[in-house]
Amino acid sequence: MLFKSDVIKTMKLVTISGPPSSGKTAVLVNVIKSLKSSGLRAGAVKYDCLATDDDALFRSLGIPVQTGLSGNLCPDHYFVSNIEECLKWGISLNLDLLVSESAGLCNRCSPHIKGVLAVCVIDNLMGVTTPKKIGPMLKFADIVVITKGDIVSQAEREVFAFQVRRANAKAKIMHVNGITGQGASELTSLFLQAPETETLDGGILRFSMPAALCSYCLGETKIGMEHQLGNVKRIKIKQEQP
Amino acid sequence: MTEILEKKIGYLTAEFPPLTEFFSDYGITFNDLHATLGETLEGLAEEHYEDMGIDREKLLENLDGFLQRITLSEIAEAPTVSEITIIGGHDKNGHPEEIELTLLRGSVTSIVGPTGSGKSRLLADIEWMAQNDTPTGRTIRVNGQKPDPELRFSLEYKLVAQLSQNMNFVMDTTVEEFVFMHAESRMITAIDTLVADIIAQANLLAGEPFTAQTPVTALSGGQSRALMIADTAFLSSSPVVLIDEIENAGIDRKKALSLLVRKEKIVLMATHDPILALMAERRLIIKNGGIQKIVTTTSREKENLIKLEEIDNKFLALRTRLRSGEMLEEL
Ligand SMILES: Nc1nc2c(ncn2[C@@H]2O[C@H](COP(=O)(O)OP(=O)(O)OP(=O)(O)O)[C@@H](O)[C@H]2O)c(=O)[nH]1
Ligand SMILES: Nc1ncnc2c1ncn2[C@@H]1O[C@H](COP(=O)(O)OP(=O)(O)OP(=O)(O)O)[C@@H](O)[C@H]1O
Ligand SMILES: [Mg+2]
Ligand SMILES: [Mg+2]
Ligand SMILES: [Zn+2]
Ligand SMILES: [Zn+2]
């Protein structure tokens, strides 16, 4: 006979990222329901910038939740500084699986950590060129979940998935419907194969976060050369022949 | 993988044209055709990789995956499907749907029932190859077996070509670009002539013509359906074809059906149209989310089909007159 503790001994961590309103929470809600129905204990952490209602949604599923609002920091930078604490919290609650949802706001940062299952959620409505515009949070993900397939035709779904494939050749690409939950059980079984994470001390991000050390990071609001200090990058104005 | 790095850019872009596009996704354009790929990638500033949000290692991994797909395309044929079986789930009230229905290759089955009864849902269950994991609790078997779960997520092998009810485009591309990308995603070669054929066929089905340069988001409902019908007919080698309400939006439905229904396929179509319903040898009656009845089209009905078509032709003639601004005072 197989006891629960034989299946999962320590906690698994899964990082979920994706552009705002791409369906991260909707997908996670379905995954958590299916985890709960197999008797596993899940918890969630939501990292966002200004405000979020996601905690209430997760709480309504009866699971423990933490919310971190980064305020005027990049939420992903904030994530790295705080994920270790959240991991400890999850382990202290004896959870089987902790999901960490973060809003990908700058398209250049990503919360993916080496050795931790990394998921990126994007939706079919974002336009064909979006996959190549999204940085490491898509390009370094292990699983790319595409939502809102119910709104577009099969042809459009295929074209979009193909663009995702070009941006990330090795990821598992899955269609999940955040509303009906179609596809969520497959995603759940992949979550259950995630490696276990005991500590993140000494862990390494999959891709460096951009240097955010200009005067504007530090609160400057005035525009003009004289106010710009530190790591400033100039736009290259191309002279187009008329 | 190391071999390709030693090849010259000029050779690579001539031999594998899609590579140019692949690298442009990463902001890489080739200036020196005599340099090797390795030298070119080596020559990119660290900053370039940082800006693209990718490192050299990951880029090469993606390139490898992309090349594998290009070479795979030559052998990409969906596995043979000789039958699919629908095992009942439950209706909207949770009452069991006691049914086990096998559809054979070469058969056409129609799906009828009131609006909202669950026709599109049944098609979606088949497209998804439901395993008791959709709102209906249905299970789909392929060749009598549980389909390989990998097939659900495979971008290469598509068992099902689906012409869905919602046809609203959201992508910001022209008709030509869209069909091109779709062909590319299905790893079809000789794309250019095919794209032109698809647009020409679509125009034969639709009323008001559109061009290759029309943005897909500017197509009317009927034009979008016409485009998708031609696209599905020409691009897909999938053994199962699902059609949802082809009759809407005033396209030539008989022409459309003859494009889509090829021999050796398993065809299912949801419809409110008596002619389309009777063209199938069997029809499923859906009620309250469940398959309530399966009816075989009788020979009497087949005979009536001829009469129905006469009525329909009269009706179409009236429609044509109406569309061209005539009065309908005389019928
Ligand atoms: N039609 C459709 N709507 C979906 C799907 N998935 C999510 N949605 C809707 O999309 C909206 C945004 O979903 P959320 O799950 O809140 O998105 P999110 O990524 O968590 O958003 P933030 O946490 O605010 O960044 C909600 O209204 C969902 O109901 C889907 O597959 N189909
Ligand atoms: N067995 C079921 N259990 C629960 N929900 C169901 C079931 N069957 C269908 N539904 C739901 O009912 C709604 C309407 O179904 P659907 O869109 O398939 O109707 P339809 O017959 O295609 O209607 P129309 O003719 O208007 O296109 C959908 O949200 C669908 O998911
Ligand atoms: Mg959310
Ligand atoms: Mg429908
Ligand atoms: Zn950032
Ligand atoms: Zn800054």
Side-chain angles (χ1 to χ4, degrees):
Chain A
M1 182 158 171
L2 209 63
F3 288 98
K4 197 188 98 191
S5 57
D6 293 333
V7 186
I8 296 185
K9 287 198 190 67
T10 45
M11 192 181 73
K12 295 167 186 295
L13 174 66
V14 181
T15 56
I16 291 95
S17 64
S21 298
S22 58
K24 300 179 292 292
T25 307
V27 167
L28 282 176
V29 162
N30 285 293
V31 167
I32 290 165
K33 279 184 189 158
S34 116
L35 284 171
K36 280 186 68 177
S37 69
S38 25
L40 296 170
R41 284 173 51 79
V45 185
K46 171 66 199 270
Y47 290 95
D48 214 319
C49 210
L50 299 174
T52 182
D53 295 325
D54 287 353
D55 48 341
L57 219 78
F58 287 130
R59 212 162 275 126
S60 71
L61 298 172
I63 65 164
V65 185
Q66 289 290 338
T67 305
L69 292 181
S70 63
N72 60 0
L73 291 180
C74 164
D76 287 308
H77 282 70
Y78 178 82
F79 162 91
V80 211
S81 345
N82 292 290
I83 186 64
E84 171 81 34
E85 278 305 299
C86 293
L87 185 86
K88 284 184 187 149
W89 166 76
I91 291 172
S92 77
L93 289 181
N94 211 2
L95 297 181
D96 297 308
L97 194 129
L98 179 65
V99 293
S100 153
E101 172 185 335
S102 36
L105 289 175
C106 70
N107 273 357
R108 178 53 184 77
C109 291
S110 103
H112 301 323
I113 303 164
K114 284 186 183 155
V116 174
L117 184 68
V119 181
C120 178
V121 179
I122 53 178
D123 73 49
N124 270 300
L125 309 183
M126 287 171 181
V128 251
T129 54
T130 305
K132 70 178 169 194
K133 285 192 287 203
I134 302 178
M137 92 184 163
L138 174 70
K139 297 194 173 96
F140 286 80
D142 301 311
I143 302 173
V144 178
V145 171
I146 307 177
T147 60
K148 305 186 193 174
D150 52 327
I151 298 175
V152 298
S153 62
Q154 187 191 29
E156 222 168 325
R157 284 199 293 277
E158 288 178 20
V159 168
F160 192 77
F162 183 65
Q163 305 302 320
V164 172
R165 177 55 80 215
R166 280 230 286 246
N168 186 335
K170 294 283 156 76
K172 189 136 194 149
I173 299 175
M174 319 179 62
H175 287 97
V176 178
N177 186 310
I179 293 178
T180 63
Q182 181 166 309
S185 56
E186 272 75 15
L187 187 60
T188 309
S189 58
L190 293 180
F191 276 24
L192 291 177
Q193 292 162 28
E196 284 152 11
T197 308
E198 280 163 41
T199 172
L200 287 169
D201 194 17
I204 299 173
L205 285 173
R206 295 193 185 198
F207 199 73
S208 66
M209 300 215 177
L213 286 169
C214 68
S215 39
Y216 298 104
C217 297
L218 299 170
E220 178 64 81
T221 54
K222 294 200 196 83
I223 299 171
M225 282 290 195
E226 56 186 304
H227 306 291
Q228 299 174 1
L229 291 170
N231 192 340
V232 179
K233 189 171 165 177
R234 303 254 161 252
I235 186 171
K236 292 186 197 114
I237 302 284
K238 293 213 176 76
Q239 300 299 338
E240 298 263 328
Q241 303 298 335
Chain B
M1 202 55 213
T2 45
E3 277 163 45
I4 188 167
L5 292 177
E6 286 157 18
K7 298 253 161 60
K8 293 220 183 338
I9 297 294
Y11 165 82
L12 287 174
T13 49
E15 201 67 13
F16 306 106
L19 277 184
T20 312
E21 185 108 4
F22 174 84
F23 281 107
S24 87
D25 280 3
Y26 296 95
I28 300 171
T29 46
F30 300 121
N31 302 316
D32 182 1
L33 297 184
H34 298 289
T36 65
L37 180 60
E39 286 161 359
T40 310
L41 296 182
E42 212 64 66
L44 290 174
E46 192 56 39
E47 207 178 281
H48 183 93
Y49 288 108
E50 256 174 39
D51 286 350
M52 292 314 302
I54 197 160
D55 54 26
R56 190 161 171 276
E57 193 186 334
K58 186 75 189 172
L59 178 64
L60 288 179
E61 198 179 297
N62 283 353
L63 175 64
D64 190 29
F66 190 69
L67 287 172
Q68 274 177 22
R69 275 177 61 83
I70 294 182
T71 40
L72 190 78
S73 71
E74 279 136 39
I75 47 160
E77 269 292 315
T80 329
V81 174
S82 44
E83 57 176 57
I84 57 173
T85 307
I86 303 166
I87 299 170
H90 50 75
D91 69 9
K92 290 188 191 178
N93 300 339
H95 297 308
E97 180 187 42
E98 277 156 18
I99 220 158
E100 189 169 322
L101 173 65
T102 298
L103 305 169
L104 299 177
R105 200 152 82 153
S107 67
V108 180
T109 308
S110 60
I111 304 170
V112 298
T115 287
S117 56
K119 301 183 292 297
S120 301
R121 185 61 252 171
L122 174 59
L123 294 178
D125 285 346
I126 297 171
E127 196 236 357
W128 174 245
M129 292 180 248
Q131 298 300 318
N132 192 9
D133 59 354
T134 65
T136 63
R138 292 192 184 106
T139 304
I140 307 296
R141 299 232 187 286
V142 176
N143 297 337
Q145 283 167 347
K146 180 178 181 310
D148 181 351
E150 288 289 318
L151 270 177
R152 276 183 169 182
F153 301 109
S154 162
L155 300 180
E156 286 81 22
Y157 303 107
K158 285 269 170 248
L159 282 193
V160 172
Q162 187 187 29
L163 199 67
S164 54
Q165 201 170 9
N166 40 3
M167 278 290 135
N168 32 356
F169 286 100
V170 296
M171 281 183 183
D172 189 16
T173 57
T174 65
V175 166
E176 184 173 39
E177 285 163 350
F178 183 82
V179 179
F180 192 93
M181 282 192 292
H182 192 208
E184 204 183 18
S185 77
R186 288 200 164 219
M187 289 292 162
I188 285 169
T189 43
I191 295 182
D192 291 315
T193 51
L194 198 60
V195 171
D197 282 350
I198 289 173
I199 297 172
Q201 271 298 341
N203 270 312
L204 288 179
L205 296 170
E208 200 73 14
F210 56 90
T211 71
Q213 261 53 59
T214 310
V216 287
T217 46
L219 295 175
S220 72
Q223 288 172 327
S224 313
R225 286 195 84 67
L227 179 63
M228 283 297 85
I229 289 163
D231 174 281
T232 307
F234 280 76
L235 289 186
S236 114
S237 55
S238 306
V240 181
V241 180
L242 307 177
I243 305 167
D244 205 346
E245 296 198 24
I246 201 176
E247 65 265 26
N248 284 345
I251 51 153
D252 185 335
R253 61 204 198 293
K254 253 191 281 164
K255 215 182 276 171
L257 206 62
S258 70
L259 274 179
L260 288 170
V261 177
R262 311 262 183 90
K263 288 206 173 67
E264 307 292 288
K265 301 225 176 201
I266 299 172
V267 181
L268 276 109
M269 59 178 169
T271 185
H272 293 285
D273 182 326
I275 296 187
L276 294 181
L278 294 192
M279 277 174 141
E281 60 253 33
R282 227 176 355 177
R283 60 183 183 270
L284 313 180
I285 323 289
I286 311 278
K287 199 177 161 191
N288 193 30
I291 302 177
Q292 201 204 16
K293 218 161 109 182
I294 303 169
V295 176
T296 306
T297 313
T298 63
S299 49
R300 269 295 280 286
E301 282 183 320
K302 285 276 183 198
E303 279 164 33
N304 283 341
L305 190 55
I306 301 168
K307 278 190 212 146
L308 280 175
E309 280 174 1
E310 278 164 19
I311 301 175
D312 187 51
N313 286 338
K314 268 193 203 148
F315 210 78
L316 286 181
L318 288 175
R319 193 175 73 185
T320 310
R321 282 171 58 193
L322 192 69
R323 278 175 168 179
S324 57
E326 274 180 50
M327 306 298 288
L328 293 187
E329 289 187 346
E330 306 292 329
L331 292 186

